Amino acid sequence: MKFWWRFLKRTVLILLVFMATISLALYIFEDRIIKKVVAQVNTYLKAPVQVEQINVHFWRTFPQLSVAFDQVLIADPLSSKDTLLQAEQISLRFNPFDIWNGQYQIEQITSFNGQLNLKTNAKGQTNYDIFKDTSSGSSSFNLELETILLEQFKVSYRDQKSAQSYTSTIHTASLSGKFSAQQTTLKAAGDVWLNRIQKGRVVLLKNEPLVFDLALLVDQTQNLIKLPQAQIKIANLPFLID
């Protein structure tokens, strides 16, 4: 009995020392990690990003290390008075061993409580072309994405040229797979509320649920995205799409 008691105490002590060491390391290197991530994120974006606060988390997102951007705002490039993206938090998650080796490879992006307002104006210009053409080459910061998760996100799209508009609320949605692979299958699943789909003055759909769970075949070598035959549910009715 005494042996097991001593073993338990030593195990707990080792765990406490381990956790304290990691917490201390994060505290020491937090500013360096944040500066590196922010600097590299800016190399991917054309539009300026406003952020209220940035924090590094490990125990909250264990076993991944995350850099959380709180109160994120990106203004509409076509109209600075409007908003393209707003989110309570956007979290970039990494493998901590990659960070230790100086490699900043984003494995997962999560975001919640936000809104995304996409639009195409009468001239055909879009407000969502905010990413630069970059070559990852020798960069230590790469997109090795495996998962994108959205929760409680309002998404709208307005095309002035074709007089179409779509508004929806994403309760939960995920896109997972090897994004960096030249040929891959991405799994998309979501629970969405379709607020309104409108063409001109005609309302095609209003206040109906959309549930989907499907696979997308992505071939970057041919710049193609294929959708095999799959079933989705709109207003609780099954629809076959191909």
Side-chain angles (χ1 to χ4, degrees):
M1 184 67 181
K2 290 183 179 180
F3 169 78
W4 290 110
W5 178 245
R6 289 197 300 268
F7 176 77
L8 180 61
K9 288 196 294 184
R10 289 177 181 176
T11 302
V12 171
L13 180 61
I14 291 172
L15 287 175
L16 289 175
V17 171
F18 176 71
M19 293 173 67
T21 302
I22 291 179
S23 298
L24 179 61
L26 287 176
Y27 177 77
I28 294 173
F29 294 104
E30 181 177 20
D31 287 344
R32 184 183 301 178
I33 294 172
I34 290 174
K35 288 179 181 178
K36 177 69 174 181
V37 170
V38 170
Q40 294 298 325
V41 166
N42 285 333
T43 65
Y44 283 88
L45 298 174
K46 300 176 185 177
V49 181
Q50 297 180 35
V51 179
E52 186 175 291
Q53 190 174 3
I54 306 175
N55 296 299
V56 175
H57 302 292
F58 179 65
W59 301 115
R60 188 182 300 180
T61 57
F62 181 85
Q64 293 176 310
L65 183 145
S66 71
V67 178
F69 297 78
D70 296 333
Q71 304 302 330
V72 180
L73 177 66
I74 300 179
D76 188 327
L78 301 181
S79 175
S80 57
K81 296 180 180 179
D82 298 328
T83 299
L84 170 60
L85 173 68
Q86 185 175 6
E88 183 175 326
Q89 186 180 96
I90 296 178
S91 176
L92 308 182
R93 301 189 180 186
F94 307 83
N95 184 323
F97 294 104
D98 289 338
I99 296 290
W100 182 261
N101 293 322
Q103 298 294 320
Y104 292 75
Q105 299 184 354
I106 302 176
E107 294 184 344
Q108 181 175 321
I109 297 176
T110 64
S111 186
F112 61 86
N113 293 347
Q115 62 177 5
L116 179 64
N117 304 309
L118 308 173
K119 73 179 182 184
T120 302
N121 63 19
K123 297 180 180 179
Q125 297 173 314
T126 62
N127 70 339
Y128 47 87
D129 182 21
I130 62 171
F131 295 98
K132 298 176 182 176
D133 292 327
T134 59
S135 174
S136 55
S138 60
S139 173
S140 60
F141 190 94
N142 298 303
L143 285 166
E144 293 292 335
L145 267 178
E146 294 180 1
T147 311
I148 296 176
L149 298 174
L150 296 178
E151 290 186 5
Q152 300 305 320
F153 232 86
K154 295 181 179 179
V155 179
S156 67
Y157 174 69
R158 183 162 51 93
D159 190 333
Q160 294 179 344
K161 194 172 183 179
S162 62
Q164 298 181 35
S165 64
Y166 310 85
T167 57
S168 62
T169 301
I170 296 175
H171 298 307
T172 59
S174 66
L175 187 62
S176 58
K178 282 287 185 180
F179 288 71
S180 59
Q182 291 296 306
Q183 295 178 323
T184 187
T185 299
L186 301 180
K187 294 183 178 180
D191 178 7
V192 179
W193 186 260
L194 299 174
N195 301 101
R196 181 187 292 261
I197 297 178
Q198 187 168 339
K199 170 69 174 177
R201 295 184 179 181
V202 179
V203 177
L204 303 176
L205 198 65
K206 183 178 180 181
N207 295 332
E208 297 290 354
L210 164 64
V211 178
F212 60 91
D213 187 354
L214 44 85
L216 301 172
L217 305 180
V218 180
D219 188 342
Q220 296 189 48
T221 60
Q222 299 184 44
N223 199 27
L224 290 175
I225 298 178
K226 298 179 181 179
L227 176 61
Q229 194 175 81
Q231 189 180 88
I232 65 173
K233 285 187 177 181
I234 300 177
N236 296 318
L237 296 174
F239 288 85
L240 199 63
I241 56 175
D242 191 353

